[in-house]
Amino acid sequence: MRTALVTGGSRGIGAAVSKRLAADGFDVVLTYVSKPDAAAAVAEGITASGGSARALALDTSDPAAVAAFFAEHLKGADLHVLVNNAGITRDGLIARMKDEDFAAVINVNLVGAFTCLREAAKIMMKRRAGRIVNITSVVGQSGNAGQANYAAAKAGLIGLTKSAALELASRNITVNAVAPGYVETDMTAGLADAVKTAFAERIPLKRACSPEEIAAAVGYLAGDAAGYVTGQVLGVNGGMYM
Ligand code: NAP
C-alpha cells in the first residue's frame, strides 16, 4: 500500500486531506503538534471506515525532529505522497511585528515544508516516483496587509514548489502547490464577523471554501490523473485571485 504523509492532519484542511487520501487508497500518516486527541480521532475515523491511518507527533519547524521522524517512521515505507499542510499565523502590522512572530511563521510554514520535502524527496528519488503538494495561500500570490510574515512564507513556498518541480521531474516526482482562498477552519474561526463579511464580499463565488474542496484539489494532484502536472499553483479561491 502506498503511503501518504500529511503534516498538520489533526484539524481543518489537513484532516480533510487525510480523509480524502485514505479514501483514495493511501495508507495515511498524519501528524500533529499540539492536539493528539484530535489527530487520533481523525486516524480512528479513517480506520473505522475501512481505511488505513495513524497519527504521529511532529513539530515540522524543528529540522532535527523532521529528520528523526523520517528515519524512524518512513524509511522503509513506500512513501508516494507528501502534503506540506502544517501552518500557523501570527498576524500584525509590519511596524509592530516582533522578530519572533516573523520567524515563527517562516519556520513552520516555509522551513518546515522544506525539510519535509527534502527528506521525502530522498525516499521518492530512490523509488523514482512521488507526488508532493504544498499548501500555500492566495495571500502568497496577492500579499495581505497585516500578514507580511505569512505572505512571505507562502510566497516562498511557491518558489520552493517550482524549484523542486524542476529538480525532481527527472525522477518522476511532481511538485505542485494548492493555494486556498478563505477556508472555514480554526485558523479563520477567530476572525471578527466584519472581517469575514469583508472577505466574502471579495470572493466572486460569494462564500467560504470548505476543507473538503481543498482536499479534492490535493487528491487530484496526488492521483494518477495529474501525472503530467508539475510546478503549478492551483488556486482554490472562489475567484478571489486570478
Ligand atoms: P488549522 O485548522 O489552524 O490547523 C493547522 C494544523 O497545522 C494543525 O493540524 C496543527 O496541529 C498543525 N501545526 C501547527 N503548527 C505546527 C508545527 N509547528 N508542526 C507541525 N504541525 C503544526 O489550519 P488550516 O486552516 O487547516 O490550514 C492548513 C493549511 O492551509 C495551512 O498551511 C494554512 O496556512 C493553509 N491555508 C489556510 C487557509 C484558511 O482560510 N484556513 C487559507 C489559505 C491557506 P495541531 O492540531 O496539533 O495544533
Side-chain angles (χ1 to χ4, degrees):
M1 201 175 196
R2 294 187 302 184
T3 298
L5 171 63
V6 181
T7 66
S10 48
R11 295 185 272 144
I13 292 169
V17 168
S18 298
K19 290 174 195 164
R20 166 68 195 235
L21 294 179
D24 289 348
F26 291 100
D27 167 39
V28 175
V29 176
L30 62 102
T31 74
Y32 62 90
V33 67
S34 71
K35 296 209 162 22
D37 295 348
V42 175
E44 281 159 21
I46 288 170
T47 41
S49 40
S52 173
R54 64 204 147 114
L56 298 168
L58 174 63
D59 180 349
T60 58
S61 67
D62 178 349
V66 171
F69 182 92
F70 273 79
E72 187 178 348
H73 299 293
L74 295 167
K75 209 170 181 185
D78 183 6
L79 182 66
H80 190 69
V81 177
L82 165 67
V83 183
N84 270 316
N85 168 78
I88 59 167
T89 53
R90 295 275 188 280
D91 296 352
L93 295 172
I94 289 167
R96 277 182 259 146
M97 186 173 284
K98 294 183 180 134
D99 290 346
E100 53 264 39
D101 288 336
F102 192 88
V105 170
I106 296 290
N107 281 334
V108 177
N109 298 12
L110 182 56
V111 179
F114 168 71
T115 47
C116 288
L117 184 150
R118 180 178 60 196
E119 298 308 311
K122 288 181 199 167
I123 298 171
M124 293 173 179
M125 284 165 78
K126 285 192 193 126
R127 295 176 180 273
R128 295 195 170 266
R131 300 292 169 86
I132 297 171
V133 182
N134 296 319
I135 308 298
T136 177
S137 167
V138 67
V139 162
Q141 300 171 299
S142 65
N144 198 23
Q147 288 195 308
N149 48 1
Y150 186 78
K154 293 299 189 181
L157 210 42
I158 292 173
L160 174 65
T161 299
K162 294 178 181 179
S163 301
L166 287 169
E167 274 193 37
L168 300 175
S170 65
R171 306 297 179 95
N172 191 31
I173 301 164
T174 66
V175 188
N176 292 287
V178 171
Y182 177 71
V183 189
E184 280 175 336
T185 67
D186 290 351
M187 187 175 271
T188 49
L191 295 173
D193 285 346
V195 177
K196 290 182 188 172
T197 308
F199 261 123
E201 277 166 7
R202 281 175 53 204
I203 302 169
L205 285 177
K206 293 289 171 211
R207 65 172 177 87
C209 181
S210 72
E212 290 71 26
E213 287 172 309
I214 303 301
V218 175
Y220 162 67
L221 291 169
D224 293 340
Y228 201 61
V229 179
T230 196
Q232 303 304 304
V233 181
L234 177 50
V236 184
N237 60 31
M240 200 178 183
Y241 178 87
M242 297 182 189

